[in-house]
Amino acid sequence: MKQLIDKLYHTGRLLPDEFRALLSNRNDELYGYLSEKAREARVRNYGHDVYIRGLIEFTNYCRNDCLYCGIRKSNSSAQRYRLTESQILECCRTGYDLGFRTFVLQGGEDGYYTVEKMTAIIRSIKEEFPDCAVTLSIGERSYEEYKAFYDAGADRYLLRHETADEAHFARLHPDRMSLRNRKKCLYELKQIGFQVGCGFMVGSPFQTVDHIVEDLLFIKELEPHMVGIGPFIPHHATPFAGMEAGTLELTLYLLAVIRLMLPTVLLPATTALGTIDPQGRELGILAGANVVMPNLSPTSVRQKYMLYDNKICTGDEAAECRHCLEKRIESIGCRIAVSRGDHRAYTTSTA
Ligand code: SAH
């Protein structure tokens, strides 16, 4: 197995059967070797810098009905909210003072935010904070809409593919959604010029090792600038309420594999990872992750953006989160970078 890790380290590639073997034969010793290599790759490309992104969860209205998600349309117990443009800008001001140079606007697929409204929000953020990157995470839209967001100044787009297996995708999503459209969106976003992030949940219901191999092969094919993975965590008011959560062990293992596959990728240690284990995010960084995305949403709405149960930091002010994270990151020998933290391929062109 160590030879496979060496091969991945040196070439960034493995054959499907080799990925399958690497995933099926996990043990502590192997993880020790894998994560050591992954840290080496992270340090070689990004030093000990960890990039922070201020997450602004600006709407929990959603027209979609993803079976795993707590803000799915059918969850009538969710209290819905929307932030106004001025509330969003206020979050950015707080964030800027705390050293954030990337703002991530994330939300459900909410038709209220028309292309006109979204582009107006993007423009105001870029006007007031020209040195900051704007990332969108608002789901599937048309090519024309993506293009309009890009032309308005948005820099990056996160759209997890969720699973690269058709049949698995169909078990996690309602009929009107398709993996084909998800992939089409990702390729369009990339073509338009966004720094793009895909990703999936670790341990999502019905997920097999073969599905994960497909995920890895798709990630390699897309070559995204960012990859978001975190454990699936059940939400009590969804059809998957009784399902098991993904594990820390497998999530860390996959973070390390992805770091070796795409050495320069921007790889977050997610809030979901911090939710299943108190040290999850630190361990994620030690597995090769180099991004954290603390919450900048107003505390009044934090409890309402519940994608899964027991989400951490829902009661904390942005400043508390920032300082807590700084301590955590420094405790493992890294430091928070006050910069946009672009993918390396973009650093020179946008500086
Ligand atoms: N609506 C947007 C983004 C919001 S959801 C979109 O569709 O892209 C952001 C991510 O949270 C999703 O891509 C999904 O992978 C993750 N997520 C949703 N429900 C979750 C759960 N129960 N456990 C863990 N992650 C979840």
Side-chain angles (χ1 to χ4, degrees):
M1 288 303 131
K2 284 198 177 168
Q3 281 113 303
L4 290 183
I5 295 172
D6 288 337
K7 179 179 171 187
L8 187 59
Y9 179 82
H10 290 295
T11 68
R13 281 175 197 283
L14 287 181
L15 299 168
D17 280 340
E18 295 175 325
F19 272 130
R20 204 166 289 124
L22 189 61
L23 295 179
S24 306
N25 294 288
R26 310 193 303 276
N27 61 48
D28 287 353
E29 193 203 335
L30 212 53
Y31 178 66
Y33 189 67
L34 179 69
S35 58
E36 188 186 307
K37 290 289 178 192
R39 277 195 299 280
E40 228 175 277
R42 166 169 61 71
V43 172
R44 179 158 30 92
N45 287 290
Y46 292 103
H48 290 88
D49 286 353
V50 171
Y51 302 108
I52 50 173
R53 320 297 195 197
L55 187 61
I56 304 172
E57 300 155 334
F58 70 103
T59 171
N60 71 349
Y61 280 86
C62 193
R63 70 189 170 108
N64 270 341
D65 224 3
C66 307
L67 277 76
Y68 44 83
C69 185
I71 63 167
R72 66 200 301 265
K73 179 176 157 188
S74 301
N75 179 11
S76 53
S77 62
Q79 283 180 49
R80 306 288 170 170
Y81 73 90
R82 292 186 176 110
L83 298 185
T84 62
E85 181 172 323
S86 70
Q87 283 176 308
I88 295 172
L89 281 167
E90 199 47 51
C91 294
C92 296
R93 284 178 203 123
T94 307
Y96 193 89
D97 291 341
L98 292 170
F100 290 93
R101 296 296 177 268
T102 292
F103 303 117
V104 181
L105 300 182
Q106 189 180 84
E109 294 201 5
D110 182 358
Y112 171 85
Y113 295 93
T114 56
V115 74
E116 292 76 24
K117 285 206 180 72
M118 272 323 292
T119 50
I121 293 169
I122 296 162
R123 280 200 198 90
S124 340
I125 299 177
K126 293 297 278 196
E127 200 172 302
E128 190 169 336
F129 307 99
D131 55 336
C132 293
V134 170
T135 304
L136 300 178
S137 177
I138 54 174
E140 298 174 28
R141 298 259 185 154
S142 68
Y143 180 93
E144 290 70 33
E145 290 180 289
Y146 286 151
K147 181 80 170 69
F149 300 154
Y150 186 78
D151 291 340
D155 302 274
R156 310 188 187 126
Y157 205 104
L158 302 176
L159 184 72
R160 290 188 178 179
H161 64 283
E162 310 297 357
T163 168
D165 182 88
E166 293 276 2
H168 188 218
F169 192 96
R171 297 187 78 175
L172 302 181
H173 299 99
D175 288 345
R176 59 165 288 275
M177 290 176 73
S178 71
L179 177 60
R180 185 141 58 89
N181 195 55
R182 204 88 185 160
K183 287 187 175 177
K184 176 170 166 271
C185 290
L186 283 164
Y187 282 106
E188 286 177 352
L189 288 162
K190 207 173 169 194
Q191 194 210 328
I192 290 169
F194 282 102
Q195 296 177 54
V196 170
C198 68
F200 60 95
M201 291 177 290
V202 177
S204 62
F206 322 114
Q207 186 183 60
T208 64
V209 164
D210 285 344
H211 295 149
I212 298 174
V213 172
E214 290 184 78
D215 287 320
L216 296 175
L217 295 172
F218 171 67
I219 290 171
K220 190 69 192 176
E221 179 195 299
L222 177 69
E223 271 202 77
H225 308 88
M226 309 168 282
V227 174
I229 66 162
F232 159 74
I233 303 173
H235 183 286
H236 63 277
T238 64
F240 293 161
M243 300 285 191
E244 299 235 334
T247 64
L248 175 73
E249 182 269 328
L250 182 54
T251 308
L252 296 177
Y253 202 88
L254 288 169
L255 283 169
V257 167
I258 292 167
R259 167 62 62 207
L260 294 186
M261 261 172 51
L262 300 172
T264 61
V265 78
L266 291 159
L267 190 62
T270 58
T271 306
L273 188 56
T275 298
I276 58 162
D277 187 288
Q279 302 286 309
R281 286 170 299 176
E282 292 91 316
L283 292 168
I285 293 166
L286 293 172
N290 66 335
V291 172
V292 283
M293 299 171 63
N295 208 313
L296 279 183
S297 314
T299 39
S300 57
V301 305
R302 293 259 186 118
Q303 276 92 336
K304 298 181 184 155
Y305 198 82
M306 280 292 177
L307 307 180
Y308 46 82
D309 290 339
N310 305 315
K311 189 174 157 202
I312 52 168
C313 308
T314 53
D316 303 341
E317 295 290 342
E320 290 174 67
C321 284
R322 170 70 171 77
H323 295 127
C324 160
L325 265 184
E326 181 156 315
K327 272 190 282 174
R328 286 170 181 267
I329 287 167
E330 288 177 358
S331 78
I332 52 169
C334 292
R335 53 169 200 147
I336 287 182
V338 175
S339 77
R340 283 174 43 125
D342 284 294
H343 186 270
R344 281 180 42 146
Y346 283 77
T347 317
T348 43
S349 59
T350 55

